[in-house]
Amino acid sequence: MPDFSELDLNFMKRALCLAMQGEYTARPNPLVGAVLVRNNQIIGEGAHLKAGLAHAEINALKDAKQRGEDPKGSTCYVTLEPCAHWGKTGPCVDELINAGVARVVFAMQDPNPKVCGQSELKLKQARICVEKGLCEAESRSLNLGFLAHMESQKCYVRAKIAASLDGKIALSNGQSQWITGEKAREDVHKLRAKSSVIITGIGTVLADNPKLNVRLESLLNTEKFNHFTQPHKIICDSQARLINEIKNIKNIFNIFNIFNTDLNSQVFIAHANSAFKDQKFVYSDFNSPIELLYFPSETSPNKSDYPNVDLKKLLSFCYSQNWNDVLVEAGSTLTSSFFNLNLIDELWLYLAPCFLGAQSQPMLKNFELENLMQAHGRWKFSESFQYANACFLGKDLRIVLSHL
């Protein structure tokens, strides 16, 4: 790695902060920030805000022009290797070359095979100094979903659990609203906002009638949400109980909150009932068509006429839709199923300073270990640049764990 200066570090940290402007809007594209510097002074900066809009480097060049600055001879600090291909926008590497920048410092190489190393080579062929690796770990932590898609051909799965100190998520009668306080719930809305899709279970839908959307005006009215679209929702309903109910309801939006979703956000019902195998849509409306996903597992669970939903196939479907960041926000049964299959990459645990008692519902159900060795070596406290691994939100404690 090149011997970077303190100034280099400061300018790259600024680019990382700029990248966060697209935190809730850039998906499925990566978060990228760029800073143009000449004579140790910033002359332009920008971020990528939404797929189809200008990339960070282009916005930085535009910003320099608006300031009356010439980028010729400048250094461009960017959190990801500039793109080298035509997509919805043109190659950023060509724009940097045409602008006459003298040096490009990028935090990490783009794992996209259409880009990986090609921009670096093209810049060097244009006699532009290229250095990489500055704040690489921080840049990677911004784009865990994008990296999982490109490097591992999978989604990045986060699970959210709100529980008491004795690990309970609801009373024995099912009451769960609210275990945590307002600050923690606001943080959950931010977590939803950065997710492409939210997966829940039929039990949660019938018991809690949740909306599972982002609806806090204090968030939606901020500049970072200018290009925001609500995440999609998937309801795991193995026996297709909800489908039968919907068929007999004229206006499902008056009964089920989860279907009251915004334009461009869709609801899916994943099931394993062969009676609905070939059915495509249950209910269609201008805003939110409901699509059925038939993903039966190969084996049927005990005491059930239907197999479970195959969660691996479900996540493969999410991957095929470019939904890089998946949030599991469900009850203990479905969450445990993801745990048992080792499908969760990151766990967001919100702990309230209270106890609900032994008869209350546990955070994980049907999750068993044979020995203590199995319990260790599966999780670590997250060291992400984006957030502290543990912090207080009002009276509650948030802990973020990453899968090893």
Side-chain angles (χ1 to χ4, degrees):
M1 182 184 296
D3 187 16
F4 294 109
S5 69
E6 190 69 25
L7 282 172
D8 288 328
L9 179 61
N10 290 338
F11 290 132
M12 186 60 79
K13 285 184 176 179
R14 174 57 184 165
L16 288 166
C17 289
L18 289 167
M20 293 295 287
Q21 292 180 7
E23 180 180 15
Y24 305 120
T25 57
R27 62 177 190 263
N29 285 5
L31 305 184
V32 184
V35 174
L36 290 170
V37 175
R38 189 177 57 232
N39 298 326
N40 296 330
Q41 298 292 323
I42 294 177
I43 62 171
E45 56 185 29
H48 177 54
L49 300 179
K50 188 175 178 64
L53 299 184
H55 289 189
E57 303 93 318
I58 305 305
N59 284 329
L61 290 169
K62 290 180 179 178
D63 185 43
K65 184 177 181 180
Q66 290 175 353
R67 299 186 190 197
E69 299 284 357
D70 186 353
K72 187 174 182 180
S74 66
T75 294
C76 178
Y77 296 87
V78 60
T79 58
L80 185 69
E81 179 183 6
C83 66
H85 68 292
W86 276 93
K88 293 182 178 179
T89 59
C92 292
V93 64
D94 292 346
E95 296 297 327
L96 292 174
I97 292 171
N98 294 336
V101 299
R103 178 180 176 230
V104 174
V105 180
F106 60 85
M108 63 166 289
Q109 196 168 65
D110 192 333
N112 187 338
K114 296 179 180 179
V115 179
C116 189
Q118 296 182 42
S119 289
E120 180 181 1
L121 177 61
K122 200 167 186 178
L123 289 167
K124 288 179 178 179
Q125 290 174 341
R127 299 181 182 273
I128 294 173
C129 176
V130 180
E131 295 172 292
K132 60 184 179 181
L134 178 60
C135 297
E136 179 176 358
E138 291 88 339
S139 180
R140 289 186 67 86
S141 76
L142 289 178
N143 295 300
L144 297 175
F146 172 75
L147 293 173
H149 186 99
M150 289 295 174
E151 295 178 345
S152 304
Q153 291 72 56
K154 64 182 288 292
C155 304
Y156 193 82
V157 181
R158 296 177 175 90
K160 165 258 174 180
I161 299 176
S164 61
L165 289 178
D166 52 347
K168 307 297 183 179
I169 62 171
L171 297 177
S172 58
N173 61 11
Q175 185 179 349
S176 62
Q177 298 178 336
W178 301 99
I179 292 177
T180 54
E182 183 178 345
K183 290 291 184 181
R185 296 199 298 273
E186 181 175 321
D187 196 66
V188 171
H189 280 266
K190 293 178 181 178
L191 179 58
R192 290 175 182 173
K194 65 179 67 176
S195 304
S196 306
V197 60
I198 300 172
I199 298 177
T200 194
I202 180 61
T204 298
V205 172
L206 296 179
D208 297 340
N209 196 16
K211 293 182 179 179
L212 293 182
N213 62 356
V214 182
R215 56 188 180 274
L216 294 183
E217 293 301 323
S218 60
L219 297 177
L220 296 175
N221 290 334
T222 61
E223 187 175 348
K224 290 180 72 171
F225 280 81
N226 283 348
H227 303 286
F228 177 71
T229 56
Q230 293 281 354
H232 302 289
K233 269 89 74 174
I234 297 177
I235 304 168
C236 288
D237 181 11
S238 295
Q239 298 182 32
R241 286 185 287 167
L242 194 59
I243 299 173
N244 282 319
E245 288 203 34
I246 290 173
K247 283 180 169 294
N248 298 319
I249 298 172
K250 291 184 178 180
N251 192 342
I252 61 173
F253 303 102
N254 291 338
I255 297 177
F256 296 107
N257 288 329
I258 199 168
F259 297 117
N260 287 289
T261 186
D262 292 344
L263 188 65
N264 300 322
S265 175
Q266 192 169 345
V267 179
F268 298 80
I269 300 176
H271 69 96
N273 187 337
S274 59
F276 298 98
K277 177 180 178 181
D278 298 321
Q279 188 165 338
K280 300 299 181 183
F281 290 90
V282 176
Y283 188 100
S284 185
D285 154 281
F286 178 75
N287 282 339
S288 52
I290 300 168
E291 186 169 345
L292 304 188
L293 305 173
Y294 180 62
F295 295 132
S297 60
E298 294 182 358
T299 58
S300 298
N302 293 331
K303 300 178 182 179
S304 175
D305 295 331
Y306 303 106
N308 285 326
V309 171
D310 190 314
L311 298 181
K312 292 183 179 180
K313 291 179 181 177
L314 180 59
L315 290 178
S316 293
F317 168 78
C318 293
Y319 171 79
S320 72
Q321 302 299 305
N322 289 325
W323 297 340
N324 299 336
D325 295 274
V326 174
L327 175 61
V328 177
E329 192 170 349
S332 58
T333 300
L334 182 57
T335 303
S336 294
S337 296
F338 276 92
F339 263 83
N340 287 329
L341 294 171
N342 288 322
L343 297 177
I344 296 175
D345 299 296
E346 198 171 270
L347 173 62
W348 288 56
L349 180 60
Y350 296 85
L351 290 176
C354 66
F355 298 88
L356 299 188
Q359 300 304 314
S360 297
Q361 298 181 20
M363 67 170 72
L364 293 177
K365 197 174 185 179
N366 304 323
F367 179 72
E368 298 290 341
L369 299 177
E370 294 180 358
N371 57 68
L372 281 177
M373 290 300 296
Q374 294 176 317
H376 298 288
R378 297 185 69 178
W379 298 95
K380 66 175 181 177
F381 290 105
S382 176
E383 299 174 355
S384 173
F385 162 75
Q386 296 183 72
Y387 42 77
N389 56 51
C391 71
F392 284 101
L393 299 166
K395 295 181 178 180
D396 304 312
L397 175 66
R398 183 193 71 192
I399 300 173
V400 181
L401 300 170
S402 299
H403 200 287
L404 287 171

